[in-house]
């Protein structure tokens, strides 16, 4: 066992947060155009696909009709409950009163809305451990846009580590979020689909 391995084990035993910080420091040299996340301690790096970015941008532009720029984030790290969960969600809306921690990060307790756009290699995270972490964190609204299915899944009413309500609509159908903290309707007519191949 090398000195580096011993240091990593010691760090993991002392503090998950510090280990998560260290992991992100090691990953700062990720290639341009790659998204980096840590989900349950596993590192995921995926290149930004054109259709993926088009959906993210469309969601951000629609949210900007209501929210000031400082409340809408994309690919910004937020640490969520669970073991080593440092997510860089595709789109995050922060509460108006949100303030960064002393470490310069946003708190999951201030997240009002998250949108994830499915990528083929990491979709299992969005539907699995990330969705669970968002529910445990009581994020009021989780939207998953799946260009492979051509569908949008909206999860609301987080309770006991899961979402009580799921609504699914096909691309091209409006997503009514007026009864949620988001308070607006998102159009999906311009969301591009992705080939299953």
């Amino acid at each position: 066992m090398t000195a580096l391995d011993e240091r990593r084990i010691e760090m993991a035993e002392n503090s998950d947060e510090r280990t998560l910080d260290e992991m992100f420091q090691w990953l700062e040299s990720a290639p341009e155009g790659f998204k980096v996340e840590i989900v349950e301690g596993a590192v995921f790096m995926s290149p930004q696909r054109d259709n993926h970015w088009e959906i993210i941008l469309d969601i951000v532009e629609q949210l900007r009709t209501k929210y000031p720029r400082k409340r809408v984030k994309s690919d910004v790290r937020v640490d969520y409950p669970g073991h080593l969960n440092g997510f860089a969600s595709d789109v995050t809306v922060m509460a108006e009163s949100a303030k960064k921690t002393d470490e310069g990060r946003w708190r999951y307790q201030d997240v009002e809305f998250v949108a994830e756009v499915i990528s083929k290699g990491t979709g299992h995270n969005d539907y699995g451990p990330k969705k669970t972490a968002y529910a445990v964190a009581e994020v009021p609204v989780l939207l998953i846009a799946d260009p492979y299915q051509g569908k949008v899944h909206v999860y609301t009413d987080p309770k006991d580590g899961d979402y009580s309500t799921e609504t699914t609509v096909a691309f091209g159908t409006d997503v009514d979020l007026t009864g949620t903290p988001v308070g607006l309707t998102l159009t999906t007519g311009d969301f591009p689909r992705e080939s299953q191949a």
Side-chain angles (χ1 to χ4, degrees):
M1 184 178 300
T2 68
L4 181 59
D5 290 333
E6 289 175 10
R7 183 170 174 252
R8 288 179 181 161
I9 291 169
E10 179 184 330
M11 287 170 41
E13 290 172 351
N14 290 336
S15 166
D16 282 348
E17 184 176 342
R18 207 171 48 197
T19 303
L20 196 55
D21 289 344
E22 280 288 327
M23 291 173 78
F24 273 105
Q25 285 177 354
W26 296 329
L27 297 167
E28 281 181 0
S29 61
E32 186 71 29
F34 277 76
K35 176 180 175 172
V36 177
E37 289 190 302
I38 300 173
V39 180
E40 295 185 326
V43 176
F44 293 89
M45 277 205 287
S46 54
Q48 187 70 268
R49 296 178 65 106
D50 188 51
N51 285 346
H52 190 266
W53 173 241
E54 288 296 324
I55 295 171
I56 292 168
L57 185 58
D58 195 342
I59 293 169
V60 168
E61 288 175 343
Q62 291 184 64
L63 291 169
R64 287 281 294 120
T65 64
K66 176 179 177 182
Y67 296 100
R69 183 180 1 237
K70 67 179 182 173
R71 289 184 59 194
V72 181
K73 311 294 176 192
S74 180
D75 290 343
V76 173
R77 175 184 167 189
V78 177
D79 296 346
Y80 283 90
H83 178 68
L84 298 176
N85 284 324
F87 303 159
S89 307
D90 292 322
V91 182
T92 303
V93 174
M94 305 303 299
E96 188 172 359
S97 61
K99 290 185 174 41
K100 288 185 179 181
T101 65
D102 291 341
E103 293 82 25
R105 285 193 295 278
W106 297 103
R107 298 172 346 117
Y108 72 83
Q109 295 92 334
D110 295 326
V111 174
E112 291 185 345
F113 170 83
V114 168
E116 295 286 8
V117 180
I118 295 297
S119 294
K120 189 170 260 184
T122 58
H124 61 282
N125 287 334
D126 295 323
Y127 286 119
K130 288 178 72 177
K131 178 179 163 246
T132 298
Y134 294 137
V136 169
E138 298 187 349
V139 172
V141 182
L142 168 61
L143 181 146
I144 297 178
D146 192 327
Y148 299 97
Q149 296 177 357
K151 294 180 181 176
V152 173
H153 305 270
V154 179
Y155 302 92
T156 56
D157 304 317
K159 288 184 181 75
D160 301 323
D162 200 2
Y163 284 98
S164 301
T165 305
E166 178 183 355
T167 304
T168 302
V169 300
F171 282 13
T173 305
D174 290 350
V175 179
D176 183 3
L177 300 175
T178 55
T180 73
V182 179
L184 53 80
T185 298
L186 294 177
T187 62
T188 66
D190 291 332
F191 286 11
R193 294 183 68 124
E194 194 73 60
S195 167
Q196 293 285 352

